[in-house]
Amino acid sequence: TLHEQFAAWLERAVGDRVTEYDEIIGYHLAQSYHYRTELGPVDAEIRALGGRAARWLAAAGDRAGARGDARAASSLLATAAKLASRPIERAEYALRHGAAVLEAGAFATAEEVLIRVRDDAAAAGWAGIEASADVELALLMSLVSPRESAPRMREVGNRALSVFETLEDDRGMVVALLLLSRERWQATRSADSEDILE
């Protein structure tokens, strides 16, 4: 209860600067969640608490990734994925975790996380998450086996672009186009790569 109360107090006390404290708020909510799960059965209120902790930690993970701290981003997003109360949020955080692990250079772990996310998303019918995981896996292949990766990058990039256009997901379209641009660049077709980037 004290952990949860402290998180609520801190959120009020810092006002507009709350994003500077998302990791601390998330940590205290997560502590409250863990202690509550040890004390008895997990009910809707406790699951909601875990979901709140996950959202704060995911925001902290995204901020860590934006400042180039892939290791911190990976750790925070992994914790967020474990705490998320809704399956689709769990998949979204796990996807971002996989991308952060890839950014940190832990290729084997990134592949394992991203394949699990892709398969879970395919089973659940979450086309956007599935396509995003496929793009990350194609990017991973381009780093591990650059010579063999071109056909896969083209296939995944074009399919993902179509999915994201249907979903009207601008960010997804950008990610798919970046993959297609990378494929052209690796094939020394720099003018084509530049056209896509434009």
Side-chain angles (χ1 to χ4, degrees):
T1 300
L2 287 173
H3 279 293
E4 191 173 2
Q5 288 175 348
F6 178 80
W9 169 82
L10 182 60
E11 188 177 351
R12 288 192 309 272
V14 298
D16 293 342
R17 295 175 27 237
V18 71
T19 56
E20 298 172 29
Y21 296 88
D22 45 18
E23 185 175 350
I24 298 169
I25 294 169
Y27 167 80
H28 284 283
L29 291 174
Q31 288 298 107
S32 179
Y33 170 83
H34 289 307
Y35 285 131
R36 287 174 190 268
T37 60
E38 290 174 5
L39 291 170
V42 178
D43 58 16
E45 182 182 340
I46 294 173
R47 281 192 292 277
L49 176 63
R52 285 174 49 217
R55 285 188 287 280
W56 284 105
L57 293 172
D62 291 341
R63 281 167 44 85
R67 69 174 179 265
D69 191 346
R71 289 185 186 276
S74 169
S75 175
L76 288 162
L77 288 163
T79 304
K82 289 176 188 169
L83 291 168
S85 55
R86 296 173 56 224
I88 193 166
E89 286 181 340
R90 195 173 306 121
E92 288 168 352
Y93 299 151
L95 172 65
R96 283 145 62 184
H97 169 227
V101 174
L102 176 57
E103 183 73 24
F107 295 157
T109 303
E111 183 177 30
E112 180 184 326
V113 170
L114 291 166
I115 286 173
R116 189 167 56 246
V117 169
R118 183 193 61 196
D119 293 348
D120 289 349
W126 300 324
I129 296 174
E130 180 185 1
S132 295
D134 257 341
V135 167
E136 294 293 340
L137 285 164
L139 176 59
L140 170 59
M141 186 178 183
S142 78
L143 297 170
V144 175
S145 306
R147 290 184 183 176
E148 295 81 25
S149 65
R152 179 75 178 144
M153 292 169 76
R154 272 194 308 276
E155 176 198 343
V156 168
N158 286 320
R159 187 173 64 239
L161 186 59
S162 175
V163 168
F164 293 130
E165 284 173 346
T166 301
L167 295 173
E168 298 182 353
D169 180 343
D170 291 341
R171 185 184 183 285
M173 285 188 275
V174 168
V175 171
L177 287 167
L178 286 172
L179 181 67
L180 291 169
S181 172
R182 183 184 185 91
E183 182 270 321
R184 269 52 161 202
W185 178 78
Q186 284 185 187
T188 63
R189 294 165 53 196
S190 54
D192 291 342
S193 177
E194 186 175 356
D195 285 345
I196 293 173
L197 292 173
E198 292 272 350

